[in-house]
Amino acid sequence: MSAPRTRSDKVSDINLQEEFKAIREGMASMQAALELQLDKKVDTLRDTMMKLAHDNMESMKKQMEKITKEIRESLDVEVGVLSARMDAIELKIEKNKTSKKLRFDPDVSIIVSGLSSVNNEDATEKVRELLAAGLRCDPMPELVAVERLRPRGPGPGIIKVEFRTVEEKVAALRLKHLLRENRSFERVYIRSAKSHADRLIELNFRTLLRELPTVGKDFYITGRMMKRSPVDADAYSKNK
């Protein structure tokens, strides 16, 4: 059997219980304090991280804006340089076109044949007279250049006439039928000027037609191949 508990033993147990309770309360208080401190540190760390992230974002944004600005300025400079080079090239091309522009460009020029000539004549004035009295041009077209060529036979040499625009040339050609109504110009003929290549093609066609024994007499060239009337075909055969 165990020995009976004394008063001193009971007091000791009470003291131990109170001490244990105090220790437990102290641990609970310490745990609460630690949790509070931990929460504060977590909040502080979170705020710090968010501030760092925000600062980094602002820094990255400023850096990107700086880089973008530098790239844009560099591109502006390159584009400016390229534009200047292109302008210079276009100017050179335009100058070359101007310097190499054909005199009596077929697109704006006509050929006048049969217009009488005199010594020391003013070919430009004679053409103006032809346009005014023979073709009755109104308004009078602007003449860029006029040149009479040396005659290749007994008749007067042909005259090359360059107008300012295609429209002026076409307007003059449309009035050529009026020359037959004026006795001073009834033997004058005008036609559109041709390029060197077109003249060679026409010459080759004429040569080919002359060499065709049966059908050659039935056609002639006026810029395009035309069929002769039977009477003209017979006359052509007799005079060949």
Side-chain angles (χ1 to χ4, degrees), residues 209-220:
L209 288 177
R210 285 197 298 269
E211 296 301 321
L212 294 175
T214 56
V215 300
K217 63 183 179 61
D218 296 330
F219 297 92
Y220 64 100

Side-chain angles (χ1 to χ4, degrees), residues 6-206:
T6 64
R7 181 180 178 81
S8 59
D9 291 335
K10 293 180 179 180
V11 171
S12 177
D13 288 342
I14 293 172
N15 291 336
L16 286 173
Q17 290 177 2
E18 290 179 350
E19 184 178 355
F20 180 76
K21 181 180 179 181
I23 290 173
R24 186 171 60 185
E25 290 177 352
M27 289 182 66
S29 177
M30 288 177 61
Q31 183 178 358
L34 286 173
E35 289 179 354
L36 181 60
Q37 290 181 8
L38 183 60
D39 289 342
K40 288 182 177 179
K41 287 185 177 182
V42 170
D43 291 340
T44 301
L45 180 60
R46 182 181 60 195
D47 293 341
T48 301
M49 292 296 293
M50 291 183 65
K51 185 176 185 302
L52 288 174
H54 181 269
D55 292 343
N56 287 336
M57 288 294 293
E58 289 295 323
S59 177
M60 291 177 62
K61 182 179 178 181
K62 290 181 180 179
Q63 187 68 17
M64 288 297 295
E65 289 177 349
K66 179 181 178 183
I67 293 174
T68 302
K69 181 180 179 182
E70 291 176 353
I71 293 175
R72 185 180 295 110
E73 291 176 349
S74 178
L75 286 175
D76 289 342
V77 171
E78 292 296 329
V79 169
V81 172
L82 290 176
S83 297
R85 290 179 179 176
M86 290 178 64
D87 290 342
I89 292 172
E90 289 179 355
L91 183 60
K92 288 182 180 179
I93 292 174
E94 192 63 29
K95 286 183 177 180
N96 288 337
K97 286 182 178 179
T98 302
S99 62
K100 295 179 180 180
K101 183 180 178 182
L102 291 174
R103 190 181 180 192
F104 298 106
D105 184 347
D107 289 340
V108 291
S109 300
I110 64 171
I111 302 298
V112 179
S113 59
L115 188 61
S116 62
S117 63
V118 295
N119 293 333
N120 300 320
E121 70 176 358
D122 186 337
T124 300
E125 286 302 319
K126 290 189 72 67
V127 171
R128 287 200 179 99
E129 181 183 355
L130 170 69
L131 296 174
L135 299 178
R136 308 173 199 170
C137 291
D138 186 20
M140 177 67 67
E142 179 181 343
L143 302 181
V144 176
V146 176
E147 179 183 356
R148 185 189 286 274
L149 302 184
R150 295 179 60 183
R152 295 183 178 180
I158 64 172
I159 298 178
K160 296 191 294 184
V161 181
E162 181 177 359
F163 296 104
R164 184 175 57 87
T165 65
V166 175
E167 290 75 16
E168 290 177 338
K169 167 191 170 178
V170 172
L173 288 174
R174 286 176 176 172
L175 297 172
K176 64 182 181 180
H177 65 278
L178 297 177
L179 296 175
R180 307 285 78 80
E181 301 175 7
N182 190 318
R183 296 189 62 181
S184 299
F185 302 107
E186 61 183 355
R187 295 186 179 277
V188 177
Y189 301 89
I190 67 172
R191 57 180 172 83
S192 177
K194 297 182 178 66
S195 66
H196 179 67
D198 289 338
R199 290 197 301 272
L200 286 179
I201 292 172
E202 183 174 325
L203 179 62
N204 290 336
F205 265 110
R206 291 181 187 277

